[in-house]
Amino acid sequence: MEWVIRFLVGGLMVAGFSAIGDVLKPKSFAGLFGGAPSVALATLLLTVSKHGHEYAAMEGRSMIAGAAGFFVYAFVVSWLMMRNRVETYVVTSGSMVVWFAIAFGLWAVWLR
Amino acid sequence: MKARGMLGIRIRLAELKDARWYSYALRILFGGAVTVLTGVVAKYYGPSMGGLFLAFPAILPASMTLIERHEKQKKRRVGLDGRREAHAVASVDAAGASIGAIGLAAFGLVVWRHMPVGATWEVLTGATAAWAGMALVLWMARKTIIKMRIAKRTGSVARAE
């Protein structure tokens, strides 16, 4: 049951932030909501109630490394999209390796 | 319904009517899946590893693909190919998300430093405000730099406006 609640809260939070992004112009401003803390809010709300504040704080610290990976990933995707004719899904999924490299690289040197 | 605010930010509620049901179904699916994944990783590998996925770009590939398809359809309705424009719009969306990602780091910092001592709702409200504030300031700075570059190139501030 816990996983169903987690799925629903996360899904609705992501869809909510996306809907806000959809109605906003210009596109560069709406794009900010592609980097909204929707999954983080859903997860932390449930985490605090189950595991407590210290556990959630540790997740927050790791989130900084994930965010660094997200920044580089989105930057690379934006750059490739502007300069190539490759399909969007190829660029966005192929570049995912950047997120994993940065996030897990920072985790290995800073958080492990 | 349209509303224009400061900084040239506009709200177009009509976009919600244009949105297809499957685009939201897809977002709920991806968002829910990543939230579950984060919980699973934290359960088996600890909060230090699970926390990485709080800033996982799960929804970006799906939303960019939908944006690109929407732009192509719009251009094709008026007889244009639209591939180039669709790529450019998706690229701008990703550039915005990269600014949002810096805001995510601010969010994580507030949670890390204040969660052990603060009330949950206060910390999460403060962290969300930090995300929004950081993202807005950086977006304004980027916009100003782009305007200045255009003005320098064309020799006219008015053109850049």
Side-chain angles (χ1 to χ4, degrees):
Chain A
M1 191 62 187
E2 182 208 332
W3 299 106
V4 176
I5 294 170
R6 197 175 267 272
F7 182 89
L8 287 175
V9 174
L12 291 173
M13 199 72 94
V14 165
F17 271 101
S18 297
I20 297 171
D22 284 349
V23 299
L24 291 170
K25 301 272 171 191
K27 213 73 203 164
S28 63
F29 184 75
L32 298 180
F33 288 82
S38 39
V39 172
L41 280 169
T43 302
L44 290 168
L45 272 170
L46 299 167
T47 298
V48 170
S49 61
K50 195 176 177 194
H51 299 285
H53 287 221
E54 289 289 344
Y55 192 97
M58 276 180 79
E59 288 195 331
R61 187 175 69 144
S62 296
M63 188 184 167
I64 299 170
F70 195 143
F71 169 74
V72 180
Y73 165 80
F75 187 85
V76 167
V77 165
S78 175
W79 191 85
L80 288 172
M81 289 294 295
M82 198 55 100
R83 284 159 185 81
N84 289 288
R85 293 283 167 275
V86 187
E87 290 293 331
T88 305
Y89 71 88
V90 175
V91 174
T92 51
S93 31
S95 305
M96 209 54 103
V97 69
V98 173
W99 183 85
F100 280 98
I102 304 278
F104 282 87
L106 284 172
W107 179 83
V109 297
W110 178 41
L111 302 164
R112 191 164 57 170
Chain B
M1 188 185 146
K2 274 188 195 180
R4 194 184 185 106
M6 287 189 307
L7 312 167
I9 298 165
R10 301 181 300 281
I11 299 170
R12 287 197 73 233
L13 292 177
E15 294 284 334
L16 287 178
K17 281 186 199 159
D18 294 346
R20 309 269 178 176
W21 67 267
Y22 59 76
S23 73
Y24 284 99
L26 204 66
R27 287 160 178 176
I28 290 173
L29 193 71
F30 273 83
V34 174
T35 311
V36 169
L37 175 75
T38 307
V40 170
V41 174
K43 187 177 176 182
Y44 291 101
Y45 300 98
S48 166
M49 173 113 21
L52 294 175
F53 289 86
L54 297 185
F56 183 68
I59 196 69
L60 199 62
S63 77
M64 280 181 66
T65 305
L66 291 169
I67 286 168
E68 188 201 26
R69 189 182 299 169
H70 185 65
E71 279 303 312
K72 266 189 206 165
Q73 283 169 350
K74 257 177 29 183
K75 294 290 171 191
R76 281 175 187 170
R77 259 181 247 141
V78 290
L80 299 168
D81 176 50
R83 238 178 297 178
R84 204 173 148 187
E85 290 84 356
H87 257 65
V89 172
S91 169
V92 169
D93 189 67
S98 71
I99 295 173
I102 302 173
L104 284 180
F107 182 102
L109 186 69
V110 171
V111 170
W112 174 32
R113 306 305 293 179
H114 297 284
M115 192 57 96
V117 289
T120 307
W121 72 269
E122 279 175 357
V123 176
L124 291 182
T125 306
T128 307
W131 167 78
M134 178 69 86
L136 184 64
V137 167
L138 291 173
W139 178 77
M140 284 163 60
R142 179 179 176 270
K143 196 178 166 189
T144 308
I145 290 166
I146 291 172
K147 268 187 185 177
M148 282 165 65
R149 275 193 192 157
I150 295 171
K152 202 174 170 186
R153 216 174 288 162
T154 58
S156 156
V157 176
R159 271 189 190 180
E161 290 290 325

